[in-house]
Amino acid sequence: MFNHFSRYEEDFIQWRKGGYPRVKPETRQYINFLTDPEDNQSPREGTLWSHQWKAFLRTVYAYEILGKHTIGRNGLLHNIVTGGGKTALMAVIIAWMRIAHGVERFVILCPNLIVRDRLEDDFEQGKVFKARQLIPDWAPFTSEDFALTTLGGNRQSGWASLLSASVILGNIHQFYTSNTSGQSNLSQLMNGPEFVLFNDEAHNSPAPEWDRTLQRIAPKVLLRVDLTATPERADGQRPDSDLIFEYNIQEALADGSVKTPVVYQPSIETVELTYTDARTGERRRVEEIDWAEVDRLGLTATQWVTDDEPMRQQMAIALQRLKEQERRAQGRYQPILFVVAVCKADAQKAWRTLNDYFRVRTLLVTEDSDEEDRRKARELGEAQRSGHPYKAVVSVLMLREGWDVPEVGVILLLRKFSSKVYGQQVIGRGLRRVRTKGVDPNEPQICAVVDHPKLDHDWLWQIFNAKKRENVSIDDSFDETEDLPPPPPKQELTKPHLVIRVPDPIPNFVDDGEFVVEIQAQTLTPIRNWREALDSIHYEPTAVEITRVDISGVVERELGAEGWHKLHSAPEDTLREKGEPYAVPISDDELRDLIRSRLLEMAEELLIEAGCATLYKDRMYEVLVDHVRRKFLSDPNISLGLAEREELEYIWKMLPQVKEKISANLGIVKGVVHFGDE
Amino acid sequence: MEVHTLDYIGRMAVMTALVKNYQGAECIKRTVLMKMLYLLQVVKQVPLGYRFQFYLYGPYDSRVLNDLALAESWGLIRQEYIEYSTGYFYKICEELGTDPFLEEFKDVWHPYQEAIRWVLENFRQYDASQMELLATLVWVDRSAVATNAELTEEQIVQTALALKPKATEETVRPLLLHLKRLNILRSLNKRLSRSVS
């Protein structure tokens, strides 16, 4: 993303060296208050971190020196890595705008409840102003004067509280005109004084309704400041504000302001696959194959982390990392294992496995979780005092941006990331440094990420410059503080005047040159008779499961008639655990819910794969439910709610095949969208 | 032939009973525990279901480590990593959860109480390096049995020394004698019985 500030960088440097000329006297006085008495280019200890200081001064320069007509007509954007302290930046801008410009009102917009709850904690009773010593004694107000109103929160709510509010914290939806309370809130805001707007997690703002709401309130906005760690969204859109400051992961690593990510991947020598009859559960065959051969089998990437045995293996490796983190914490805080699943079904399975199999106290947070569970998730790090803390939390994508628990020390990935944005957001949850009492600010801290080679996440580890440990077995123990990689060199802009903006593509430009790059896009034709096409799909009622993974390191020798022969493991009999091996127990109703929720997810995934809008999710879901009933129930006229346990299990085992087969013919999905029931 | 093996609770119970009864309150080195489990499975037919393969320190199965991690997670044992000047080892100690767990699942592990007593009585006097050699000797013996090979004492010793090149004959021979006295070596016994007849 183009940094609009780079062309002013040299002037900005001179402005700083020159003692901040041409700003309001109150601004200069406030900057001086924040400045280190020993070094007039640095912030005073205990106030801002170095990069926050740079971001703040750029905001001042952009607003007071350059002006909105030059930069930031739609707002000023700060791209700051997770753990980089965006809240303190908001707070210092609030204090400055009150001191120098007499602004009485500040509105902070956030995308979801988790972010809102966290900000509420930070701003409640002026906590962040006090913690960072941002209010000078000579200011005509104190930290407590920033009365906080949280729209829809537990403490205060409703438009009436907006009248007296100084800092208003809310969700953008609470200002949408599509509902009555949104209209009231918007009306109060527009009839009140001008304000400074903070658009937190601004990468969410390119949504049309969000955009419209920002435009509606723009006339009252003196200054808009956008903040995000990932300005570019998964769909390639970005906020309309002007980027003026970047503080990326490489810089944060170099400064030691975030934890160093270290990735652990298991070593696997052989894999045992069990093929079962999906209808009866009867084992058909067990196959043991070398790791090098597994690619030919067509297993899905996530099977390597979600089938029972591999999941337990990954969890055991993660718990080993948790133990290491506990040793490093030395009782000063409780490190937390954060497990990231791809769907609710996997999340529940992981949660049960951790709780019941490993007996690790674990919290589950999904979109169905209530306020109480969200509170627990938010306060995980503080739960140590309770004497019975959670050691792990399992989530789908609920705990993403805004969920900041610095105690997260281990991340276990039970999903594959294809999106750069989601991948970074999730890993970002573990990068915030623990800054609790007794922890030296210079103490090396790591975030251990347990990954699997089959998930192909190398691109993600390159972004984070993460140290990668391959061939990790369950008993390996590491002291990562010994040999952490040196931080990557900081990229400094040495000749800002040479920066050019890469122009946007000309819309109607046709390249008639010699080299034409053809995009190999699959043209999907909607299938009018999609129902027939669906009915004609044939399913092989065999489910394959990874039932054992053996780590490498085994030495084999040959011992012939006179000497060596090939040595095998001693027991040659077919081994079966007495009864069933550990399986996550699940009731009939839970299984029904899992099938429904997986079908709903599949509906969305298939629509995205086919390039269709997800607003057709309900229609696609109905089609899928009907399809599995017809294919896998003995009586297709009964609903899932009345199906017997055996049939439900059969459906559950066949769902991966359903997804695979329909994905192979996305014209069906397009047909459902285009032609419906015509 | 299909043999039913113990599930994870059973394996943890046997493991925990071994840890608890190992020289009273002393902790057991992980290598010693691994080899005792090997002997329990191979010699006393305790159906642990491990698939031991030959590794640097003798017969080994990573699933034992999985079970140890699980037992630690359940608060049954504690693994301690001990570093010394030339290497490291793990020792495994019993934890507060041991007694209630063994009591709760006594039906599962009691059938193997005698086997556990046998392995402790006959092998707890050996340190980790001796247990590696003992298990290696048994491994050589069972590998020969699996291929219907008959080995002399000398062949077993030399094969074991080839697998464990740092060991010496002086250390291996007394261990072989111990196994012979316990009547464990089947490839050797067959040969002896044939020569006698």
Side-chain angles (χ1 to χ4, degrees), chain A residues 11 15 19-24 28 61 64-66:
Chain A
D11 295 342
W15 174 76
Y20 315 106
R22 292 176 286 138
V23 293
K24 295 187 74 168
R28 189 178 298 113
Y61 190 83
E64 287 199 17
I65 306 296
L66 299 174

PDB file of all heavy atoms in Angstrom, chain A residues 11 15 19-24 28 61 64-66:
ATOM      1  N   ASP A  11      10.976  16.821   4.784  1.00  0.00           N
ATOM      2  CA  ASP A  11      10.487  18.052   5.436  1.00  0.00           C
ATOM      3  C   ASP A  11      10.111  17.759   6.882  1.00  0.00           C
ATOM      4  O   ASP A  11      10.342  18.586   7.774  1.00  0.00           O
ATOM      5  CB  ASP A  11       9.246  18.594   4.710  1.00  0.00           C
ATOM      6  CG  ASP A  11       9.578  19.048   3.301  1.00  0.00           C
ATOM      7  OD1 ASP A  11      10.776  19.257   3.028  1.00  0.00           O
ATOM      8  OD2 ASP A  11       8.643  19.160   2.482  1.00  0.00           O
ATOM      9  N   TRP A  15      11.515  19.390  10.219  1.00  0.00           N
ATOM     10  CA  TRP A  15      10.532  19.992  11.148  1.00  0.00           C
ATOM     11  C   TRP A  15      10.803  19.527  12.577  1.00  0.00           C
ATOM     12  O   TRP A  15      10.777  20.319  13.518  1.00  0.00           O
ATOM     13  CB  TRP A  15       9.132  19.573  10.677  1.00  0.00           C
ATOM     14  CG  TRP A  15       7.996  19.961  11.560  1.00  0.00           C
ATOM     15  CD1 TRP A  15       7.448  21.208  11.691  1.00  0.00           C
ATOM     16  CD2 TRP A  15       7.235  19.095  12.407  1.00  0.00           C
ATOM     17  NE1 TRP A  15       6.395  21.173  12.572  1.00  0.00           N
ATOM     18  CE2 TRP A  15       6.239  19.878  13.029  1.00  0.00           C
ATOM     19  CE3 TRP A  15       7.293  17.740  12.701  1.00  0.00           C
ATOM     20  CZ2 TRP A  15       5.324  19.345  13.925  1.00  0.00           C
ATOM     21  CZ3 TRP A  15       6.385  17.209  13.581  1.00  0.00           C
ATOM     22  CH2 TRP A  15       5.399  17.996  14.191  1.00  0.00           C
ATOM     23  N   GLY A  19      12.543  21.871  15.950  1.00  0.00           N
ATOM     24  CA  GLY A  19      11.766  22.178  17.160  1.00  0.00           C
ATOM     25  C   GLY A  19      10.290  22.408  16.880  1.00  0.00           C
ATOM     26  O   GLY A  19       9.645  23.194  17.584  1.00  0.00           O
ATOM     27  N   TYR A  20       9.772  21.756  15.854  1.00  0.00           N
ATOM     28  CA  TYR A  20       8.330  21.754  15.548  1.00  0.00           C
ATOM     29  C   TYR A  20       7.780  23.154  15.243  1.00  0.00           C
ATOM     30  O   TYR A  20       6.848  23.636  15.908  1.00  0.00           O
ATOM     31  CB  TYR A  20       7.533  21.108  16.701  1.00  0.00           C
ATOM     32  CG  TYR A  20       8.162  19.829  17.204  1.00  0.00           C
ATOM     33  CD1 TYR A  20       8.831  19.784  18.418  1.00  0.00           C
ATOM     34  CD2 TYR A  20       8.103  18.665  16.441  1.00  0.00           C
ATOM     35  CE1 TYR A  20       9.431  18.621  18.869  1.00  0.00           C
ATOM     36  CE2 TYR A  20       8.704  17.486  16.879  1.00  0.00           C
ATOM     37  CZ  TYR A  20       9.369  17.479  18.104  1.00  0.00           C
ATOM     38  OH  TYR A  20       9.966  16.333  18.537  1.00  0.00           O
ATOM     39  N   PRO A  21       8.377  23.848  14.279  1.00  0.00           N
ATOM     40  CA  PRO A  21       7.842  25.173  13.934  1.00  0.00           C
ATOM     41  C   PRO A  21       6.450  25.070  13.294  1.00  0.00           C
ATOM     42  O   PRO A  21       6.058  24.015  12.807  1.00  0.00           O
ATOM     43  CB  PRO A  21       8.861  25.701  12.919  1.00  0.00           C
ATOM     44  CG  PRO A  21       9.472  24.476  12.323  1.00  0.00           C
ATOM     45  CD  PRO A  21       9.489  23.450  13.404  1.00  0.00           C
ATOM     46  N   ARG A  22       5.733  26.147  13.300  1.00  0.00           N
ATOM     47  CA  ARG A  22       4.447  26.343  12.616  1.00  0.00           C
ATOM     48  C   ARG A  22       3.302  25.545  13.224  1.00  0.00           C
ATOM     49  O   ARG A  22       2.248  25.438  12.627  1.00  0.00           O
ATOM     50  CB  ARG A  22       4.567  26.028  11.112  1.00  0.00           C
ATOM     51  CG  ARG A  22       5.433  27.043  10.364  1.00  0.00           C
ATOM     52  CD  ARG A  22       5.610  26.671   8.922  1.00  0.00           C
ATOM     53  NE  ARG A  22       6.522  25.548   8.758  1.00  0.00           N
ATOM     54  CZ  ARG A  22       6.330  24.540   7.927  1.00  0.00           C
ATOM     55  NH1 ARG A  22       5.244  24.511   7.184  1.00  0.00           N
ATOM     56  NH2 ARG A  22       7.219  23.581   7.838  1.00  0.00           N
ATOM     57  N   VAL A  23       3.516  24.938  14.371  1.00  0.00           N
ATOM     58  CA  VAL A  23       2.369  24.271  15.021  1.00  0.00           C
ATOM     59  C   VAL A  23       1.775  25.229  16.048  1.00  0.00           C
ATOM     60  O   VAL A  23       2.377  26.255  16.401  1.00  0.00           O
ATOM     61  CB  VAL A  23       2.765  22.961  15.725  1.00  0.00           C
ATOM     62  CG1 VAL A  23       3.182  21.918  14.735  1.00  0.00           C
ATOM     63  CG2 VAL A  23       3.844  23.197  16.776  1.00  0.00           C
ATOM     64  N   LYS A  24       0.612  24.889  16.543  1.00  0.00           N
ATOM     65  CA  LYS A  24      -0.018  25.706  17.574  1.00  0.00           C
ATOM     66  C   LYS A  24       0.865  25.684  18.834  1.00  0.00           C
ATOM     67  O   LYS A  24       1.484  24.663  19.127  1.00  0.00           O
ATOM     68  CB  LYS A  24      -1.404  25.149  17.915  1.00  0.00           C
ATOM     69  CG  LYS A  24      -2.383  25.245  16.757  1.00  0.00           C
ATOM     70  CD  LYS A  24      -3.760  24.856  17.203  1.00  0.00           C
ATOM     71  CE  LYS A  24      -4.352  25.973  18.037  1.00  0.00           C
ATOM     72  NZ  LYS A  24      -5.757  25.822  18.298  1.00  0.00           N
ATOM     73  N   ARG A  28       3.026  22.455  20.610  1.00  0.00           N
ATOM     74  CA  ARG A  28       4.457  22.402  20.926  1.00  0.00           C
ATOM     75  C   ARG A  28       4.666  22.121  22.415  1.00  0.00           C
ATOM     76  O   ARG A  28       5.513  21.327  22.802  1.00  0.00           O
ATOM     77  CB  ARG A  28       5.163  23.688  20.526  1.00  0.00           C
ATOM     78  CG  ARG A  28       6.697  23.540  20.652  1.00  0.00           C
ATOM     79  CD  ARG A  28       7.491  24.754  20.241  1.00  0.00           C
ATOM     80  NE  ARG A  28       7.304  25.081  18.845  1.00  0.00           N
ATOM     81  CZ  ARG A  28       6.679  26.184  18.402  1.00  0.00           C
ATOM     82  NH1 ARG A  28       6.187  27.038  19.276  1.00  0.00           N
ATOM     83  NH2 ARG A  28       6.558  26.418  17.136  1.00  0.00           N
ATOM     84  N   TYR A  61       1.917  16.437  12.239  1.00  0.00           N
ATOM     85  CA  TYR A  61       2.435  17.109  11.044  1.00  0.00           C
ATOM     86  C   TYR A  61       1.385  17.112   9.921  1.00  0.00           C
ATOM     87  O   TYR A  61       1.166  18.127   9.266  1.00  0.00           O
ATOM     88  CB  TYR A  61       3.716  16.397  10.582  1.00  0.00           C
ATOM     89  CG  TYR A  61       4.475  17.117   9.501  1.00  0.00           C
ATOM     90  CD1 TYR A  61       5.346  18.149   9.827  1.00  0.00           C
ATOM     91  CD2 TYR A  61       4.316  16.763   8.166  1.00  0.00           C
ATOM     92  CE1 TYR A  61       6.053  18.827   8.831  1.00  0.00           C
ATOM     93  CE2 TYR A  61       5.009  17.426   7.171  1.00  0.00           C
ATOM     94  CZ  TYR A  61       5.880  18.462   7.499  1.00  0.00           C
ATOM     95  OH  TYR A  61       6.568  19.124   6.504  1.00  0.00           O
ATOM     96  N   GLU A  64      -1.693  19.492  11.278  1.00  0.00           N
ATOM     97  CA  GLU A  64      -1.479  20.929  11.516  1.00  0.00           C
ATOM     98  C   GLU A  64      -0.622  21.584  10.439  1.00  0.00           C
ATOM     99  O   GLU A  64      -0.796  22.765  10.157  1.00  0.00           O
ATOM    100  CB  GLU A  64      -0.834  21.145  12.900  1.00  0.00           C
ATOM    101  CG  GLU A  64      -1.808  20.912  14.038  1.00  0.00           C
ATOM    102  CD  GLU A  64      -1.343  21.551  15.353  1.00  0.00           C
ATOM    103  OE1 GLU A  64      -0.461  22.423  15.325  1.00  0.00           O
ATOM    104  OE2 GLU A  64      -1.878  21.146  16.403  1.00  0.00           O
ATOM    105  N   ILE A  65       0.332  20.856   9.894  1.00  0.00           N
ATOM    106  CA  ILE A  65       1.242  21.475   8.910  1.00  0.00           C
ATOM    107  C   ILE A  65       0.733  21.283   7.480  1.00  0.00           C
ATOM    108  O   ILE A  65       0.612  22.227   6.724  1.00  0.00           O
ATOM    109  CB  ILE A  65       2.680  20.905   9.036  1.00  0.00           C
ATOM    110  CG1 ILE A  65       3.188  21.046  10.480  1.00  0.00           C
ATOM    111  CG2 ILE A  65       3.627  21.564   8.040  1.00  0.00           C
ATOM    112  CD1 ILE A  65       3.335  22.470  10.973  1.00  0.00           C
ATOM    113  N   LEU A  66       0.430  20.027   7.148  1.00  0.00           N
ATOM    114  CA  LEU A  66       0.010  19.759   5.763  1.00  0.00           C
ATOM    115  C   LEU A  66      -1.466  20.070   5.549  1.00  0.00           C
ATOM    116  O   LEU A  66      -1.857  20.602   4.519  1.00  0.00           O
ATOM    117  CB  LEU A  66       0.300  18.302   5.396  1.00  0.00           C
ATOM    118  CG  LEU A  66       1.773  17.880   5.457  1.00  0.00           C
ATOM    119  CD1 LEU A  66       1.914  16.381   5.211  1.00  0.00           C
ATOM    120  CD2 LEU A  66       2.589  18.650   4.413  1.00  0.00           C
TER     121      LEU A  66
END
